[in-house]
Amino acid sequence: MVRAGPDVCTEEEVELLVRRFYARVREDAVLGPIFEARVHDWEAHLQQLVDFWSALLRGTSRFTGAPMPKHLAIPGLEWPMFERWLGLFAQTTAELGNPTMQALADEAAARVAGSIWRRYHAPSFPIL
């Protein structure tokens, strides 16, 4: 199993992954409108995503956001949307020419998607 670390990929590769992937997402007929309705400053959002993926791939500690509440607040999410997101992600990682990064990034993306999906559909229990 590949572990996050500085020898997995460079910061430049992380930035390239994020920018290429989200360019695809923005052009996607299903995913694009979901993101466009919620992201008002794309450059700031992309920087936050670079920090997020740098943490997952390189083990850096710059990311300070809380993505789960924002994703859970999106109405109407369906699993095929996550599959589409994962497909575009895998397409992007495959093009980068770094098999180690590709394996770790695709695995992390599947974990992220699964985690959001499970939380999105988890029943709410009152705190006692």
Side-chain angles (χ1 to χ4, degrees), residues 1-10 13-14 17 53 56-58 89 93-94 96-108:
M1 180 176 150
V2 179
R3 295 199 184 275
D7 43 336
V8 168
C9 59
T10 65
E13 287 174 303
V14 174
L17 166 63
W53 284 102
L56 292 179
L57 300 174
R58 295 179 43 82
F89 193 86
T93 60
L96 296 177
N98 180 336
T100 303
M101 177 184 177
Q102 179 182 0
L104 185 59
D106 289 351
E107 179 184 307

Side-chain angles (χ1 to χ4, degrees), residues 24-36 38 76-78 80-82 84-85 88:
R24 282 192 167 109
V25 166
R26 291 177 79 180
E27 293 173 358
D28 187 82
V30 173
L31 300 176
I34 295 168
F35 281 84
E36 291 299 330
R38 287 160 183 83
L77 293 181
E78 298 174 2
M81 295 171 178
F82 287 84
R84 192 174 191 105
W85 185 89
L88 293 174

Side-chain angles (χ1 to χ4, degrees), residues 61-81:
S61 58
R62 297 188 310 261
F63 182 73
T64 59
M68 192 63 75
K70 292 178 183 175
H71 288 86
L72 297 179
I74 301 171
L77 293 181
E78 298 174 2
W79 181 247
M81 295 171 178

